[in-house]
Amino acid sequence: MTDPLSAAVPLSLADGPLFGLPLPELWFALVFAVLGTFLFLDGFDFGVGVLFATRGTDGEREQLLAAIGPFWDGNEVWLVVFGGMLFAVFPEVYATLFSRHYLLMFAILGGLILRGLAPEMYEQRHDEAWQRRWGQAFVVGSIASPFFLGVFVGNWLFGVDGMASIASLLVGLAVVSLTVVDGAAYLGVKTRGDVRLETRSFGYLAQVVYLLAAVAALVVGSRSAAHVDLFSLPTLGLLGVTVVLAGGYVAASRAERHYLAFAAVAGQVYGLVALVATLLFPLVDPVTGLEISDAIVSTLPLNLSSIGAALLLPLVVSYFVVLYSAFSGPVDEGESYG
Amino acid sequence: MIDPVIASRLQFALTTIVHIIFPVMSMGLAPFLIYFTWKEIRTEEQVYEQLRAFWTKIFAISFVVGTVTGIVLEFEFGTNFAAFSTAAGELFGGPLAMEGMMAFMLEATFLGIFVFGRERVTDRLYMISSVFVGLGTWLSAVWILIANSWMQTPRGYEVAMQSGQPIILLVDPIAAYANPRFPWMYVHMQNAAVLSVALFMTGVAAYYVWTNRDTEFWRKTMKIGLAVLLVTAPFQAIHGDAYGRHVADTQPQKFAAMEAQYETDSSVGLKLLAFPTSVEDITDPHAEELFVVEIPFVASLLASGDDPGATITGLDEFDSENPPVAIVFWAFRAMVGLGFWFILLAFWGGYRWLRGELFEDDLLAKALVGSSVLGILTVELGWIVTEVGRQPWVIQGVMKTHAGVSPGLTGTEALITLAGFVGVYAGLLTLYWYVVVRLIREQAPTRPATPNRDVSGPEKGVPGDD
Ligand code: HDD
Ligand code: HEM
Ligand code: HEM
């Protein structure tokens, strides 16, 4: 089934990996890096959503919504790209992982629907009952999305075949607390005054919960998953770095070095996905025992996806730079864009 | 318990049918918004600023709902159609990843600037943002339709066995992605989106004209919408006609279902009107049980392009089971019927406009109001023809739908999520409708109803109305 057009495709694309690069391993890393970017960027949207529950006045609530208003949609696309990339390069992993966690996937989607819709609805009307309800929906969606996503990542990492295990529930808790830290650090950059001061104490609390939950998840999870080696050098190293960054976040935030604090949180998020990736490696799906080399697509589509990603991802980064610089600087109480 | 195959198909049908409403709104609005932004910056006329600001609000809410419903679809290939995704991932995953990186990223980031940034960024960056947002929506259609068109006319692949499972390998990306269906689908879909939005705009504007609360804003909207309708409605039908010929060539079984042609025959007439002669036949229309008004030889002529005696293969001829003929047959007739109605509306409006009576014809206004959401309905009908007509195949001639469903999925799980979607999406559509109607009522410039229609109202002195 080939057309005459086929002669136009350079055969070399099907012959071997581009420039002889270890593309399967690079893609494995890239997929997790994209997941990490989603967790970092949309993570602060979720965190702001959780912290929304702690704000009493209209003005402050508007301020939080304004702080994420222009950004959340772009941030969420990293999840779409994560799904698309997994599908494109590890189709079998995408298919078995998603269908195995059928109800969990829809729980994530339900959370995302609430989180996406609620702020939009909140702004539509200004009566109290309406705003109370959509405010609650926003909080629930902002907790549910990262929680179920964390459980999913936990199931993936520990090779859980059922709905969830204690360890994956702990990962869920860890991810929710990490997003709260992320949100608080973001508000440190994006707001001033009371909001900044009050949300940051929640950030410190969440930081402690994150460390405890993450360590507990690892300890519990490693008992039933042979491939999770707690005492390997990379694991201990990443854990050490995380603890240092956690301390760094609190210290920087107290010293009013908000960008630094935010960066320390970013480091922790990428540390988390790096930990998941190194613990899995070279497996991509512990339940089926699929390794990177079994699950990767054949050379031609792999090369094509690599060219696509190499050309497009730098552009994508530039879009985010344009967007974030167009709306740089803090938002004040009661302020909203538009 | 319900069969997971049926539940998955119903769920996919429901979730795509709901999703497509919002891309149609955003893809269709995009060119209008680019135009309004351009005119606003160039002419500094207030009416363009109002037009841009108002329709951007509709765009923004459509986009949000499009995003949340789109992510569902992207996940569903894995959750519900795991066997399909595993087998076809090499060909199918790539376009989805490209769609994310190339289209959604562009769209979602510049949308932030486009919706929130009018006061913050320069005119130039604002203009660029409007173009990038529009480009993003149109590029996303490119990639998703590449994926879908490949399922209709698969090319450039080879089937291999991998641990007992068929795996579809990509051997020729150009043949696969530039498959014969893609250009047809893209043109028909994008024109349909613009046409649907033109109908919507015209309909909403006609409502204000009809209730005498129109301003310069709504008159302008009505004229712009009508002008676009005059171009897109005839084009859609002309293009659809040629498209049908292409379907006859590449998916003869689907074409036979569209025409309810069971027996192979030559010199087939084109059925201008076709209705089953008895009530039972409505659900299973057979060619010989139809009351038809037909032009002799023309179906054969159309299907072949030049031969009035050409043979059309009937449904009985194929080895695989038939698609649900009644659904395909009726959906196709409804699409074409509505297509001609839109042409009629466009010409009627055009004629009134020419005579300078566009805002005087109450019947026209009512017809336009009543048709405002029919464009979107027609898109749904067309997609039902395309997707239901492809059955029993998920990839035409390569993989059957039932073989594509996730092997481990239970009927209970599938039923839970299906029921969940019915509830959640009913709520979602209600909310969307509520918000859009509210925006139209409260955010658009109108003047209070006046009994005397000769009063030209507050738009007096505003330049720009021709
Ligand atoms: C405003 C919407 C609209 C209107 C007025 C029409 N169509 Fe359409 N049609 C669609 C919207 C659409 C669509 C966007 O829903 C579809 C589904 C897939 C596609 O490519 O376009 C479609 C598909 C579609 C197909 C292909 C089915 C397939 O791929 O299997 C054919 C043959 C036609 N149309 C033919 C027509 C004809 C002869 C029309 C005459 C008036 C017409 N369409 C009007
Ligand atoms: C947005 C417009 C679309 C609508 C309204 C639509 C509608 C439908 C419907 C009604 C079905 C059920 C058919 C049946 O089982 O009898 C279906 C199935 C399906 N469609 Fe679409 N579709 C759309 C676009 C797409 C696109 C763009 C893709 C792929 C990229 C796609 C892929 C599928 C798949 C995989 C199935 C399930 C398998 C099957 O039933 O054949 N659809 N769609
Ligand atoms: C059935 C297969 C489909 C899938 C898997 C799918 C997937 C998605 C996803 C994931 C999003 C959200 C992107 C974001 O976060 O910005 C989205 C939005 C969008 N989709 Fe789809 N989609 C499908 C069908 C279609 C079709 C048939 C079209 C048009 C021809 C389309 C056009 C769009 C557009 C323009 C958007 C942007 C959001 C909006 O404007 O509402 N999609 N889609």
Side-chain angles (χ1 to χ4, degrees), chain A residues 1-9 27 69-85 87-88 91-92 94-96 98-103 105-106 108-109 112-114 116-117 120-121 124-126 130 134 163 294 296-301 304-305 308-309 312-313 316 318-320 322-323 325-331 335 337-338, chain B residues 8 11 60-61 63-65 67-68 71-86 88-90 92-94 96-98 100-102 104-106 108-113 115-117 119-121 125 132 154-157 162 169-175 177-178 180 406 409 413-414 416-418 421 424-425 428 431-432 434-435 438-439:
Chain A
M1 271 288 207
T2 42
D3 274 8
L5 271 170
S6 59
V9 184
W27 271 100
F71 309 114
W72 72 267
D73 207 325
N75 297 343
E76 187 169 297
V77 181
W78 287 98
L79 182 66
V80 177
V81 171
F82 163 75
M85 282 184 169
F87 197 174
E92 193 175 348
Y94 164 81
T96 51
F98 280 32
S99 60
R100 196 178 328 122
H101 302 300
Y102 187 81
L103 292 178
M105 298 320 284
F106 287 100
I108 299 173
L109 291 170
L112 289 173
I113 291 178
L114 270 190
L117 210 56
E120 208 64 33
M121 289 300 150
Q124 294 295 335
R125 264 170 59 173
H126 290 277
W130 176 270
W134 285 109
M163 290 280 278
D294 312 319
I296 197 81
V297 282
S298 44
T299 311
L300 176 61
L304 289 173
S305 294
L312 289 168
L313 287 180
V316 167
S318 74
Y319 307 155
F320 278 81
V322 173
L323 175 66
S325 33
F327 298 94
S328 62
V331 283
E335 187 184 342
Y337 295 125
Chain B
S8 295
Q11 179 169 310
I61 182 76
F63 187 86
V64 168
V65 189
T67 300
V68 297
I71 297 181
V72 170
L73 290 178
E74 172 131 346
F75 278 37
E76 261 175 345
F77 293 121
T79 52
N80 292 69
F81 293 93
F84 161 79
S85 302
T86 305
E90 275 206 1
F92 202 81
L96 293 195
M98 289 301 282
M101 290 186 290
M102 184 187 280
F104 292 150
M105 283 293 189
L106 187 67
T109 47
F110 284 93
L111 184 77
I113 299 180
V115 172
F116 296 99
E119 308 299 326
R120 289 209 142 217
V121 302
L125 179 56
F132 279 3
R155 297 289 185 276
Y157 67 93
Q162 212 172 65
L169 298 175
L170 175 66
V171 293
D172 182 348
I174 295 179
Y177 297 147
S406 308
L409 183 61
E413 284 174 322
I416 292 175
T417 55
L418 175 61
F421 275 114
V424 171
Y425 276 18
L428 199 69
L431 269 175
Y432 177 74
Y434 169 78
V435 170
R438 228 181 113 84
L439 283 175

Side-chain angles (χ1 to χ4, degrees), chain B residues 261-280:
Chain B
Q261 188 83 28
Y262 280 77
E263 297 78 21
T264 299
D265 208 348
S266 55
S267 306
V268 183
L270 177 77
K271 303 184 185 75
L272 282 182
L273 274 176
F275 287 101
T277 46
S278 76
V279 182
E280 298 91 76

